[in-house]
Amino acid sequence: MTVAPLVYVVDDDPAIRRSLERLLDAVGFRVTAYATPMAFLGVADDLAMGCVLLDLRMPEMDGFEVQARLLLINPSLPVIVITALGDVRTAVRAMKAGAVDFIEKPYSDEALIAAIESALKTGAAKGRAEDIAAASLLIDTLSPREREVLEALVAGRKNKVIAYDLGISVRTVEVHRSRMMDRLGVRQLGQAVRLSVLAEGR
């Protein structure tokens, strides 16, 4: 008999925990939810292989500190961080700290499940190495200007600021941004940011 994969949810919001438990249980995952970072970290060294869904904004201890401590306690557990929509710098920081993926709120059920399945399938270290290789190949398809625009977006700069810095119009920045997204095969800026951060790790 196949054992359902494990997902560990770390979020201080009870409504979100209940929602995730219902969703993930319905699609066949075993879910254990933790209301506080300390409750999770207290048992992290004994946890079976699975995947961690980690909210970054919690009052007792933020997700970055949880992530750093988890890397020391149980580095083989892949972490997917959950962050506010459009918070590019936060997402970049999480990826550089070792998260295998990030999901922006509000997220679709399909995007969340796909991220979890990918993380469970590949694990933390092996999955990240494969993701880095794939991201590097995609980033290498960009033109020099497209890459400049992407790097500026990763740094959190707005289109107007990028246009000023590069000496081009805002419209031209938008064209480069659109072409860059097409080449990378992504629809959301967060996905492009993820690829850029991964490629830096090669």
Side-chain angles (χ1 to χ4, degrees):
M1 188 177 74
T2 304
V3 178
L6 280 160
V7 178
Y8 306 106
V9 175
V10 187
D11 198 304
D12 63 306
D13 187 325
I16 289 176
R17 288 199 306 275
R18 284 194 301 271
S19 172
L20 285 170
E21 284 176 321
R22 282 196 300 268
L23 168 66
L24 298 177
D25 182 66
V27 295
F29 295 114
R30 288 180 293 155
V31 186
T32 304
Y34 301 88
T36 69
M38 290 311 296
F40 169 68
L41 292 170
V43 298
D45 58 341
D46 293 324
L47 295 178
M49 267 310 294
C51 170
V52 181
L53 276 184
L54 176 64
D55 186 29
L56 285 182
R57 299 192 182 280
M58 293 179 286
E60 179 186 305
M61 180 191 300
D62 72 22
F64 293 114
E65 188 173 347
V66 177
Q67 199 178 347
R69 293 191 185 195
L70 182 62
L71 279 172
L72 297 174
I73 298 169
N74 194 338
S76 62
L77 275 177
V79 175
I80 298 171
V81 298
I82 300 173
T83 185
L85 180 64
D87 194 352
V88 173
R89 290 188 182 187
T90 302
V92 168
R93 185 179 165 195
M95 292 289 293
K96 287 185 174 179
V100 297
D101 207 344
F102 68 90
I103 301 289
E104 292 177 305
K105 295 178 182 176
Y107 47 78
S108 69
D109 294 350
E110 293 78 11
L112 179 66
I113 292 164
I116 292 171
E117 287 177 341
S118 176
L120 286 167
K121 183 168 57 180
T122 56
K126 179 174 179 289
R128 192 168 177 83
E130 291 176 352
D131 285 349
I132 287 170
S136 298
L137 288 172
L138 283 170
I139 294 297
D140 286 344
T141 67
L142 300 179
S143 71
R145 183 63 92 190
E146 287 162 358
R147 191 175 294 202
E148 283 180 326
V149 169
L150 176 57
E151 288 169 357
L153 290 167
V154 169
R157 294 203 281 275
K158 304 293 184 187
N159 286 0
K160 282 184 180 178
V161 177
I162 298 170
Y164 178 81
D165 289 345
L166 297 181
I168 57 180
S169 70
V170 173
R171 175 63 187 146
T172 303
V173 170
E174 290 169 352
V175 169
H176 285 306
R177 176 172 171 161
S178 176
R179 286 179 182 164
M180 174 267 294
M181 303 273 278
D182 286 344
R183 281 190 205 269
L184 297 180
V186 299
R187 293 182 181 177
Q188 296 179 330
L189 175 58
Q191 295 170 310
V193 168
R194 176 181 181 273
L195 290 172
S196 178
V197 175
L198 281 170
E200 284 180 20
R202 60 180 146 179

